Amino acid sequence: KMFPGVEIIRWDRDTAKSPAEYEMLLERFRTGGAQILVGTQMIAKGLHFPAVTVVGVISADIGLSVPDCRAGERVFQLLCQVAGRAGRGPEKGEVVVQTFQPDNYAIKAAATQNYRQFYFEEIGYRREQGNPPFGQLIRLMYAHTNSAFSEREALRMSEGLRKERDS
């Protein structure tokens, strides 16, 4: 309704399942058959469309809540990559980012494309928390066909590891 007469393409794993389908959608966008491309993170990397002047990111901070010491780095990288899709041609580009955490260091550094600022904040957090490269992480998984049993055993193992660590 906001863009009458404008064709919109949706590109994600549900709408394009094969490389041939990807190419068909991208060619339609590249040639101007569609003027708006809506998609997932898939469209952030490696695409070169000089006519793209506006790029928007919805819920840019969702990756920050993933329990991973590299979450900030991943969000920063993704936002920098997606921002690089706009303004590659003769017209200036604009990037619009929707976030609930505008003061987060990764969001702020990505908004200004300040790699140095991001690095120094990120490396400080990693040093404080003993995360790589200042420490090592290990991932342990416990799987069983009975999820309740699996959860009980994983908790038992966790408790045993904590006791071992603290002794």
Side-chain angles (χ1 to χ4, degrees), residues 60-138:
D61 48 19
I62 199 160
L64 295 173
S65 26
V66 174
D68 182 341
C69 69
R70 295 179 270 317
E73 180 180 357
R74 289 193 174 123
V75 167
F76 175 79
Q77 287 177 343
L78 181 63
L79 290 176
C80 287
Q81 285 174 337
V82 81
R85 304 302 109 200
R88 292 180 152 216
E91 293 187 45
K92 188 177 177 187
E94 182 177 355
V95 180
V96 179
V97 176
Q98 182 268 325
T99 176
F100 292 104
Q101 300 179 52
D103 292 327
N104 180 278
Y105 73 102
I107 303 285
K108 285 170 76 171
T112 58
Q113 299 283 289
N114 191 331
Y115 295 84
R116 200 170 166 77
Q117 174 190 345
F118 173 77
Y119 170 79
F120 285 115
E121 291 222 31
E122 178 71 11
I123 206 73
Y125 291 135
R126 289 187 186 194
R127 183 179 288 114
E128 282 174 20
Q129 297 164 6
N131 285 328
F134 304 101
Q136 296 179 342
L137 300 175
I138 185 168

Side-chain angles (χ1 to χ4, degrees), residues 12 14 26 34 45 75 82 97 103 121 125 144-145 160 162:
D12 55 37
D14 293 330
L26 289 176
K45 301 175 184 175
V75 167
V82 81
V97 176
D103 292 327
E121 291 222 31
Y125 291 135
H144 193 276
T145 53
R162 278 193 194 91

Side-chain angles (χ1 to χ4, degrees), residues 12-23:
D12 55 37
R13 287 189 177 98
D14 293 330
T15 59
K17 293 179 175 47
S18 71
E21 289 173 309
Y22 294 158
E23 274 307 311

